[in-house]
Amino acid sequence: MADTTETKHNSFGELISVIFQALILALIIRTLLFQPFSIPSGSMRPTLLEGDYLFVSKLSYGYSRHSLPFSPNLFPGRVWSGDPARGDVAVFKHPVTNIVFIKRVIGLPGERIQVRDGQVFINGEAIQRELTGQIDNVDITEETRPVDVYRETLPNGVSYNTLDLSPRAPGDNTREFTIPEGHYFMMGDNRDNSNDSRMGVGTVPLENFLGRANIVFFSIAGGASPLEVWRWPAELRIGRFFSSAQR
């Protein structure tokens, strides 16, 4: 009987050890390599949709205090830093509220950015913008009508689609912003439904970047939770599984 009790005790101890090691490994992977992230709003439509679940590469931009859970103030700046590239879809923390956002990098440190009649200007030069058609799909646009789609191409060749919900939206005409050193100008692809650097977010310090959006590994429509497996047959967006989160 003593041997049986001791065996059960050892088995329980081994189980606790395995669980603890697994949790430590998961924390290391989440902190240093890849962090799962779910799209909370429609600001990046049509590139990313609510219900998309993706991996964010923490390696892309190095690490700051914001890379750690709860953002402890352990060290200033970034280590093993990599600069965000123009056109990157990146996850970052709001400079004031620390709320997590996902937007596209449009402007780099030292540049001047302005929007005129929906056209983005970088240092006074308009970026390439072409009307490619319309999308009439409420799951993609959240609108029950056709929505104009523009293809933008940045100076470095990065190209992506944007939605234009209204030709006279508040963000279609802005003042000229000068980006401070060490900061970036971020915009959502859903141009008329995005709180970004044109509005309340302002320019984003490099320190606040969490990582570069990488791959959509799961996607479900209709506001369904991934745990609601009974809704999978009707709501899963199979075509978005393992697709690029960039464009």
Side-chain angles (χ1 to χ4, degrees):
M1 180 64 69
D3 290 342
T4 302
T5 302
E6 184 176 349
T7 300
K8 290 182 178 179
H9 178 75
N10 290 340
S11 298
F12 181 74
E14 290 174 0
L15 176 62
I16 295 299
S17 176
V18 168
I19 293 174
F20 179 75
Q21 291 176 46
L23 291 174
I24 293 296
L25 179 61
L27 179 62
I28 291 173
I29 291 174
R30 183 187 184 280
T31 301
L32 299 180
L33 301 176
F34 297 99
Q35 178 177 336
F37 182 80
S38 62
I39 300 302
S41 73
S43 70
M44 281 299 295
R45 293 172 179 271
T47 307
L48 297 172
L49 311 179
E50 289 163 285
D52 282 350
Y53 290 77
L54 50 90
F55 287 121
V56 173
S57 170
K58 305 293 274 297
L59 291 168
S60 298
Y61 308 137
Y63 308 97
S64 73
R65 65 185 182 90
H66 295 292
S67 303
L68 305 174
F70 311 111
S71 299
N73 195 15
L74 300 180
F75 57 93
R78 301 192 78 89
V79 295
W80 300 316
S81 178
D83 293 335
R86 195 193 310 277
D88 279 2
V89 176
V91 176
F92 60 92
K93 287 189 176 180
H94 189 287
V96 177
T97 67
N98 273 347
I99 295 173
V100 177
F101 282 70
I102 183 167
K103 308 289 180 186
R104 191 179 296 275
V105 178
I106 299 296
L108 306 180
E111 293 183 333
R112 294 176 287 109
I113 303 291
Q114 187 175 22
V115 183
R116 307 177 202 159
D117 296 325
Q119 180 89 46
V120 177
F121 288 75
I122 301 176
N123 294 330
E125 297 290 330
I127 68 170
Q128 183 178 332
R129 182 176 186 251
E130 178 186 5
L131 178 64
T132 60
Q134 294 183 321
I135 295 177
D136 190 5
N137 183 336
V138 68
D139 184 43
I140 297 177
T141 67
E142 295 183 295
E143 299 288 332
T144 56
R145 58 179 175 84
V147 173
D148 288 344
V149 179
Y150 284 85
R151 188 74 177 172
E152 287 187 352
T153 303
L154 295 170
N156 61 348
V158 174
S159 187
Y160 48 89
N161 289 333
T162 66
L163 297 182
D164 186 18
L165 303 181
S166 169
R168 292 175 295 277
D172 283 348
N173 289 280
T174 72
R175 64 179 177 87
E176 185 175 73
F177 299 88
T178 299
I179 307 171
E181 288 301 320
H183 288 66
Y184 294 81
F185 197 91
M186 314 296 292
M187 294 178 68
D189 291 349
N190 191 355
R191 289 296 163 76
D192 299 333
N193 188 22
S194 175
N195 179 22
D196 50 38
S197 291
R198 297 170 294 170
M199 311 293 185
V201 174
T203 58
V204 179
L206 176 60
E207 183 182 38
N208 286 55
F209 280 76
L210 299 182
R212 184 178 188 269
N214 194 355
I215 293 175
V216 176
F217 65 86
F218 185 86
S219 184
I220 190 165
S225 164
L227 301 179
E228 295 177 307
V229 295
W230 58 91
R231 298 182 62 178
W232 285 16
E235 304 291 359
L236 283 186
R237 303 183 184 112
I238 299 294
R240 298 185 64 79
F241 283 30
F242 304 107
S243 62
S244 171
Q246 292 293 311
R247 54 186 181 272

